[in-house]
Amino acid sequence: MEIIQLKDLYKIYDEGAVAVNAVNGISLTISEGEFTAIVGPSGSGKTTLLNLIGGLDRPTSGEVFINGTEITKLKSKELIDFRLNNIGFVFQSYNLIPVLTAHENVEFIMQLQNKPLAERHKRTIDLLESVGLGDKKDIRPRHLSGGQQQRVAVARALASKPRFILADEPTANLDSRATTNLLDIMERLNHEEKITFLFSTHDQRVVNKAHRVITIEDGKVLSDIYQEVLVHGKH
């Protein structure tokens, strides 16, 4: 089932006398359960493309469909509500709320969704356990390592039960061990729970784990390759 569909997508920034085609006529589909990496050099349009898919930015022209809804036509308030209930985000800089504990950071998304307290509490505990941080639930971000903060961010992204997760350079600030740990968790969630992940990345370790690698340059798709990878010891 296709959950993301992009049709002839453009994003043009006017920088003085020069117009920059950050996204230059991209058409793509992403199906449910994919573990896909978007790669390319700095300035290739990776983050811009993710922001357009996530409704964080609006295209100059073209269409973005999420689960059949054309989000490019939604009004601002409708788009905020749609993002909240359909899309999970994991950012390079974690974006955790510093005054909240790990538990409160994860639970916050469900508070915005007006979920009942008992449901919020149980799901938060389950999610922190699933990313190996059940014993860190009362710790604030500044007392967690970078890898632990990013795992809280993954739990938070999952809290709303999104259709898919957009991860923008999620391993950029992590050391090798933390990267391996994070990718193993994401791969397990993808394999066991069929959660769809779409990465923007420079990290070859992410690329090696991806089932599909989309290379873009100058805002255009250069290649779109499905690759065979080992998932928990099996092809």
Side-chain angles (χ1 to χ4, degrees), residues 168-185:
D168 188 13
E169 299 280 6
T171 61
N173 295 322
L174 304 184
D175 62 24
S176 176
R177 184 174 179 179
T179 293
T180 298
N181 196 336
L182 182 71
L183 289 175
D184 284 348
I185 288 167

Side-chain angles (χ1 to χ4, degrees), residues 73-230:
K73 286 190 173 177
L74 296 179
K75 295 176 182 175
S76 293
K77 177 66 168 67
E78 294 172 328
L79 187 56
I80 289 168
D81 290 342
F82 187 88
R83 278 201 307 262
L84 178 63
N85 292 299
N86 291 276
I87 307 171
F89 297 93
V90 178
F91 300 98
Q92 176 179 339
S93 56
Y94 321 136
N95 282 19
L96 300 177
I97 300 170
V99 297
L100 300 184
T101 65
H103 186 287
E104 290 165 342
N105 265 283
V106 175
E107 186 183 22
F108 182 64
I109 296 292
M110 291 179 282
Q111 285 181 286
L112 295 177
Q113 293 179 308
N114 295 314
K115 299 292 186 187
L117 177 61
E119 179 184 337
R120 295 196 318 250
H121 181 74
K122 182 181 186 307
R123 182 156 177 78
T124 298
I125 295 297
D126 289 348
L127 286 169
L128 287 172
E129 290 285 352
S130 77
V131 298
L133 291 174
D135 60 338
K136 304 289 186 185
K137 65 183 180 68
D138 297 321
I139 307 297
R140 289 187 171 85
R142 69 178 180 274
H143 297 301
L144 297 171
S145 69
Q148 289 170 335
Q149 289 185 62
Q150 196 61 298
R151 282 187 277 153
V152 173
V154 170
R156 180 185 60 186
L158 290 165
S160 63
K161 299 184 179 177
R163 297 308 306 264
F164 60 92
I165 287 179
L166 297 176
D168 188 13
E169 299 280 6
T171 61
N173 295 322
L174 304 184
D175 62 24
S176 176
R177 184 174 179 179
T179 293
T180 298
N181 196 336
L182 182 71
L183 289 175
D184 284 348
I185 288 167
M186 289 174 157
E187 186 182 38
R188 175 174 53 77
L189 291 166
N190 172 259
H191 182 63
E192 294 177 1
E193 300 186 32
K194 305 297 184 251
I195 294 167
T196 305
F197 284 89
L198 182 59
F199 299 87
S200 126
T201 188
H202 283 99
D203 192 333
Q204 189 60 42
R205 292 165 297 189
V206 179
V207 175
N208 291 344
K209 291 273 191 183
H211 308 157
R212 179 184 180 188
V213 179
I214 299 167
T215 303
I216 67 174
E217 191 168 324
D218 298 325
K220 296 181 178 180
V221 174
L222 286 187
S223 64
D224 186 352
I225 298 169
Y226 288 85
Q227 57 183 14
E228 188 176 12
V229 294
L230 284 172

Side-chain angles (χ1 to χ4, degrees), residues 10-98:
Y10 286 84
K11 181 64 180 180
I12 300 169
Y13 295 103
D14 290 315
E15 296 186 358
V18 181
V20 177
N21 290 310
V23 171
N24 194 2
I26 288 181
S27 296
L28 277 176
T29 58
I30 304 291
S31 297
E32 195 165 30
E34 285 197 24
F35 201 73
T36 294
I38 299 173
V39 302
S42 294
S44 61
K46 300 188 302 296
T47 295
T48 301
L49 183 60
L50 244 62
N51 288 344
L52 293 175
I53 294 169
L56 298 175
D57 202 356
R58 291 189 182 268
T60 304
S61 63
E63 300 163 328
V64 178
F65 290 88
I66 305 297
N67 200 34
T69 297
E70 186 180 350
I71 67 168
T72 37
K73 286 190 173 177
L74 296 179
K75 295 176 182 175
S76 293
K77 177 66 168 67
E78 294 172 328
L79 187 56
I80 289 168
D81 290 342
F82 187 88
R83 278 201 307 262
L84 178 63
N85 292 299
N86 291 276
I87 307 171
F89 297 93
V90 178
F91 300 98
Q92 176 179 339
S93 56
Y94 321 136
N95 282 19
L96 300 177
I97 300 170

